[in-house]
Amino acid sequence: MSAALLRRGLELLAESEASRASPSQAEPSGTRAKRARKAKASQAQKLRNSAKGKVPKSALAEYQKRECQDYLRANLKFMTSRRSVVEESVTQQILRQNQGRKACDRPVTKTKKKKAAEGTVFTEEDFQKFQQEYFGC
């Protein structure tokens, strides 16, 4: 939801609350309009006084915009409140997709043990026979 919609909703809610209040507590309608006109006039004056028509910024608004927000607690609370069990295959697929392509991002694969070298099928006599046939010695 956008901030403008939220602000408009709050204004409507405030108006409905004001209409429920007793008439003695409600402000006269003229004072509200006067305040709005005065606020607009002072805002226009501020804009006129600024350099090259730039709007002066509030130091507090700048600080809040640049302030680093930490969502760790909210995220941990959300994740611990959800107790859904996910299949192992889905978890492995997500982990595979999130792995990088660099070698340092890849998991270490287990090396297979090499089998002991098996003896040759041919005997020494077979090699000598082949050598005589092939080279003609």
Side-chain angles (χ1 to χ4, degrees), residues 41-98:
S42 66
Q43 182 69 18
Q45 182 68 26
K46 284 181 184 176
L47 288 176
R48 226 177 288 129
N49 293 336
S50 65
K52 296 185 180 180
K54 293 183 179 177
V55 180
K57 295 180 181 177
S58 167
L60 182 62
E62 286 293 314
Y63 171 75
Q64 289 173 344
K65 184 170 73 173
R66 291 200 170 109
E67 181 183 16
C68 182
Q69 296 180 357
D70 186 22
Y71 296 106
L72 178 66
R73 291 200 187 282
N75 289 342
L76 286 175
K77 184 178 178 183
F78 175 75
M79 286 190 281
T80 55
S81 67
R82 305 287 178 187
R83 292 290 181 189
S84 62
V85 179
V86 181
E87 293 181 25
E88 184 67 24
S89 61
V90 175
T91 306
Q92 291 301 323
Q93 183 180 6
I94 292 170
L95 289 174
R96 259 187 278 117
Q97 288 175 349
N98 289 334

Side-chain angles (χ1 to χ4, degrees), residues 4-130:
L5 285 175
L6 186 62
R7 204 175 309 114
R8 181 66 181 143
L10 289 173
E11 288 173 3
L12 291 174
L13 182 64
E15 288 175 8
S16 66
E17 290 293 323
S19 65
R20 288 185 196 167
S22 64
S24 63
Q25 293 178 353
E27 295 179 11
S29 61
T31 58
R32 189 178 297 167
K34 286 180 185 177
R35 282 187 195 161
R37 267 186 270 143
K38 191 173 184 179
K40 285 181 185 177
S42 66
Q43 182 69 18
Q45 182 68 26
K46 284 181 184 176
L47 288 176
R48 226 177 288 129
N49 293 336
S50 65
K52 296 185 180 180
K54 293 183 179 177
V55 180
K57 295 180 181 177
S58 167
L60 182 62
E62 286 293 314
Y63 171 75
Q64 289 173 344
K65 184 170 73 173
R66 291 200 170 109
E67 181 183 16
C68 182
Q69 296 180 357
D70 186 22
Y71 296 106
L72 178 66
R73 291 200 187 282
N75 289 342
L76 286 175
K77 184 178 178 183
F78 175 75
M79 286 190 281
T80 55
S81 67
R82 305 287 178 187
R83 292 290 181 189
S84 62
V85 179
V86 181
E87 293 181 25
E88 184 67 24
S89 61
V90 175
T91 306
Q92 291 301 323
Q93 183 180 6
I94 292 170
L95 289 174
R96 259 187 278 117
Q97 288 175 349
N98 289 334
Q99 285 176 346
R101 294 186 62 170
K102 293 183 195 173
C104 63
D105 294 337
R106 293 289 177 181
V108 178
T109 56
K110 296 179 181 177
T111 57
K112 296 180 181 177
K113 294 182 180 178
K114 295 182 179 179
K115 295 181 181 178
E118 295 180 8
T120 179
V121 181
F122 300 104
T123 61
E124 189 64 32
E125 295 171 356
D126 293 333
F127 283 118
Q128 288 175 359
K129 183 179 176 185
F130 173 75

